[in-house]
């Protein structure tokens, strides 16, 4: 299922949504041109759970500076598909949530959801030296807010139908319910396989 648009009209221009998309795209373009410096960049600005729980190379004195990665990791993505998927969902659903919350509260909500997602990842994968990155925690928060604010909204969706695709309008509660179930199953699979 690929959302194309929703049927809820925003009253205000979604400045923060647009700025977040621009910021994420900018950082990703910078990543592309880092070349050999990309691994160092990711190591410094992504969330490395082991660096928080075991001290890692930074030790206890580095915990405060390391906590900055809880925010910086939200703007780093692991590839074009990762970036486009997150930004597309932000574009489709973020404008309406921003319209309801207001610009500043939406930005705070977006960041808090992303930080909460990163902290949850640290708790669930405490010994992992693998960097975690991306805006998925923030996007999940935006989708959760949309689910609560607009459960009766209709989402124009591209659906696979055997070897063809069709366009249908799906209720937001159903679309987002499936999305959350898939995320839960993916997370459960990752934890149960130890990846």
């Amino acid at each position: 299922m690929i959302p194309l648009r929703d049927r809820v009209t925003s009253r205000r221009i979604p400045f923060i949504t647009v700025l977040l998309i621009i910021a994420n795209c900018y950082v990703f373009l910078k990543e592309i041109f880092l070349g050999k410096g990309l691994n160092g960049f990711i190591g410094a600005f992504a969330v490395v759970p082991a660096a928080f729980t075991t001290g890692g190379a930074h030790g206890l004195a580095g915990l405060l500076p390391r906590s900055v990665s809880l925010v910086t990791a939200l703007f780093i993505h692991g590839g074009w598909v990762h970036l486009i998927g997150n930004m597309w969902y932000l574009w489709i659903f973020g404008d309406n949530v921003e319209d309801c919350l207001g610009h500043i509260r939406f930005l705070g909500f977006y960041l808090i959801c992303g930080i909460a997602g990163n902290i949850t990842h640290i708790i669930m994968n405490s010994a992992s030296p693998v960097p975690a990155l991306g805006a998925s925690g923030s996007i999940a928060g935006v989708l959760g807010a949309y689910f609560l604010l607009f459960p009766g909204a209709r989402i124009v969706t591209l659906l696979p139908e055997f070897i063809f695709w069709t366009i249908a309008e799906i209720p937001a509660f159903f679309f987002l319910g499936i999305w959350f179930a898939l995320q839960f199953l993916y997370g459960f699979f990752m934890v149960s396989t130890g990846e």
Side-chain angles (χ1 to χ4, degrees):
M1 295 188 329
I2 300 171
L4 300 176
R5 66 182 177 280
D6 67 348
R7 294 291 188 191
V8 179
T9 305
S10 296
R11 298 164 294 162
R12 299 182 252 197
I13 296 171
F15 292 114
I16 300 301
T17 298
V18 171
L19 287 174
L20 286 168
I21 291 170
I22 290 169
N24 276 279
C25 291
Y26 175 78
V27 171
F28 186 72
L29 290 175
K30 294 294 265 183
E31 284 178 60
I32 290 172
F33 292 108
L34 282 174
K36 293 180 181 178
L38 180 60
N39 287 339
F41 176 80
I42 289 174
F45 294 105
V47 170
V48 180
F52 285 88
T53 58
T54 62
H58 300 282
L60 192 55
L63 188 57
L64 182 60
R66 193 73 186 137
S67 64
V68 172
S69 69
L70 295 173
V71 174
T72 57
L74 303 177
F75 296 91
I76 305 169
H77 287 82
W80 285 105
V81 173
H82 189 204
L83 173 73
I84 291 169
N86 276 340
M87 295 305 102
W88 185 252
Y89 273 75
L90 179 58
W91 176 250
I92 299 288
F93 300 103
D95 64 329
N96 301 117
V97 176
E98 181 177 349
D99 196 33
C100 285
L101 296 180
H103 304 304
I104 302 304
R105 284 185 6 188
F106 176 72
L107 177 60
F109 177 76
Y110 180 90
L111 294 173
I112 288 168
C113 289
I115 291 167
N118 284 333
I119 290 171
T120 302
H121 180 75
I122 291 167
I123 292 168
M124 299 298 290
N125 302 284
S126 60
S128 176
V130 178
L133 42 90
S136 298
S138 295
I139 302 305
V142 169
L143 294 179
Y146 190 97
F147 184 84
L148 294 174
L149 294 168
F150 306 101
R154 307 291 288 180
I155 311 300
V156 179
T157 307
L158 189 61
L159 295 169
E161 193 174 279
F162 300 107
I163 60 171
F164 300 104
W165 290 82
T166 188
I167 295 176
E169 284 192 22
I170 298 175
F173 73 88
F174 182 74
F175 180 91
L176 296 172
I178 289 175
W179 185 87
F180 281 108
L182 290 173
Q183 299 305 307
F184 177 78
L185 290 173
Y186 177 73
F188 179 77
F189 174 75
M190 295 299 283
V191 169
S192 66
T193 59
E195 294 186 27

